[in-house]
Amino acid sequence: MIRTATPEDIPALHALVRELAAYEKALDEVVASEAQLAEALFGDRPAVYAHVATADDDSAEVIGFALWFLNFSTWRGVHGIYLEDLYVRPERRGGGHGKALLAELARICVERGYERLEWSVLDWNAPSIAFYESLGARPQDEWTVYRLTDGALASLGGGGTH
């Protein structure tokens, strides 16, 4: 079952974010708190959204999630969805939950007239790459992601010209 996340899901979402970071060999980089996640998703001006996958039994246990936000294509003139994180617990993979989460985001795109659903995947994550390609997703090899964080971001943002 796929549903929109609720404030009650915050502890489970936070735990899943940490599990995803551990899977991606970057748990030490997670500094977000449950309170920050709650504010981002359910505060006065939410700018991110989440859907959860629950167990197929009657427990309603949250076993996966998709966290996403709107992006915009100046070339197409419309919004799209950028999928920040998609994760299903390893012991629950193969049950269709990941595909169902992506299908829900694709449904939202179609319903709202968004023309892109995009995400990034680590180069070494062969199982995920194979899964995404099985759905018809294709890598965008001509683009390289750049990122400013920590000291470089502070230096540019605090000392740059306006």
Side-chain angles (χ1 to χ4, degrees):
M1 177 183 180
I2 306 302
R3 62 174 173 77
T4 302
T6 67
E8 293 74 30
D9 295 319
I10 291 297
L13 284 168
H14 189 258
L16 290 167
V17 166
R18 292 185 57 79
E19 286 180 32
L20 171 59
Y23 174 76
E24 292 182 348
K25 302 169 180 62
L27 181 57
D28 60 325
E29 295 180 35
V30 177
V31 297
S33 67
E34 287 185 20
Q36 287 174 306
L37 194 54
E39 179 64 25
L41 288 164
F42 304 108
D44 291 338
R45 294 187 330 212
V48 296
Y49 309 93
H51 285 78
V52 296
T54 58
D56 295 329
D57 57 28
D58 291 331
S59 72
E61 171 195 7
V62 175
I63 60 168
F65 77 105
L67 191 134
W68 57 278
F69 55 89
L70 294 180
N71 59 14
F72 187 80
S73 169
T74 55
W75 291 5
R76 292 185 175 237
V78 297
H79 283 293
I81 286 178
Y82 186 85
L83 174 61
E84 178 65 21
D85 286 328
L86 176 70
Y87 181 74
V88 175
R89 289 200 160 120
E91 68 273 13
R92 298 296 192 141
R93 292 182 187 154
H97 297 95
K99 183 177 181 180
L101 284 163
L102 283 170
E104 176 61 10
L105 298 187
R107 185 196 66 75
I108 291 168
C109 286
V110 170
E111 178 182 273
R112 297 180 187 177
Y114 303 162
E115 295 189 12
R116 291 181 180 167
L117 173 55
E118 297 179 311
W119 61 92
S120 296
V121 60
L122 291 166
D123 293 338
W124 57 259
N125 195 344
S128 292
I129 292 169
F131 168 63
Y132 297 144
E133 290 183 352
S134 77
L135 300 176
R138 296 294 171 248
Q140 301 298 296
D141 296 334
E142 66 273 12
W143 295 93
T144 300
V145 175
Y146 280 82
R147 179 178 295 158
L148 280 172
T149 61
D150 304 324
L153 179 63
S155 177
L156 183 61
T161 60
H162 298 281

